[in-house]
Amino acid sequence: MGHRRDGRRGDDAAYPVFVRFGGASASSGETVVSRQALRLHVYAVLASIEAGCPGRVTDEYLDAVAAATSVDAVELCTAGLWARDGDGYDVVESEVMRMASEVHRQLEDLTAWCRRTGGHEPDTEYPGFCRKCAVRLEQPMS
């Protein structure tokens, strides 16, 4: 196992990188999770907002993600960020849920305003998105 020019060992990718952050769910004031689990957490929260169910991460969503997610989901539960419920998980971190709910409310308000002002209009530079409210437009079936 040689060293690369940047001083890191060639097998560094085999070792997980952990992230430490403060949060209300951590008993000692800090939560430690792997970068991979944190990445899943962030993307799953964003997907839950887009799906209209802020903080609800379904097994269906996790099955659709290209990466292996079961270990990361268990890690997020162990860290106190997620809780298993039925066919998925609920995000239990209160600040994350407050932010997710607020973003969802703002997106709903913006979409309603867009409808009231004539509906969605494709953006000329990004035709898959509305130029007025930036919502993703449904792609026509081929």
Side-chain angles (χ1 to χ4, degrees):
M1 290 183 225
H3 283 66
R4 298 185 334 199
R5 294 186 77 178
D6 61 6
R8 295 186 305 162
R9 291 178 15 185
D11 60 348
D12 280 351
Y15 299 99
V17 175
F18 291 91
V19 178
R20 179 184 315 247
F21 57 96
S25 66
S27 57
S28 66
E30 290 186 334
T31 300
V32 178
V33 295
S34 67
R35 185 181 295 175
Q36 196 65 29
L38 184 59
R39 182 177 293 127
L40 174 62
H41 178 62
V42 169
Y43 284 112
V45 168
L46 292 174
S48 75
I49 293 169
E50 188 172 308
C53 301
R56 179 70 184 154
V57 182
T58 63
D59 289 337
E60 183 179 0
Y61 170 79
L62 294 175
D63 290 343
V65 175
T69 58
S70 56
V71 172
D72 295 330
V74 169
E75 182 179 340
L76 291 167
C77 287
T78 302
L81 298 174
W82 288 11
R84 181 76 183 162
D85 183 25
D87 65 346
Y89 299 85
D90 291 323
V91 177
V92 296
E93 178 67 31
S94 60
E95 184 62 15
V96 170
M97 285 308 304
R98 186 195 66 72
M99 288 173 34
S101 294
E102 178 61 20
V103 168
H104 181 256
R105 185 195 62 74
Q106 289 178 19
L107 290 174
E108 290 290 312
D109 289 350
L110 190 56
T111 301
W113 168 82
C114 190
R115 283 190 207 108
R116 286 191 311 270
T117 60
H120 299 305
E121 298 173 9
D123 187 280
T124 54
E125 190 172 348
Y126 302 99
F129 295 89
C130 175
R131 73 169 186 81
K132 296 187 319 188
C133 70
V135 72
R136 183 186 314 261
L137 302 175
E138 291 194 28
Q139 300 298 319
M141 301 296 282
S142 322

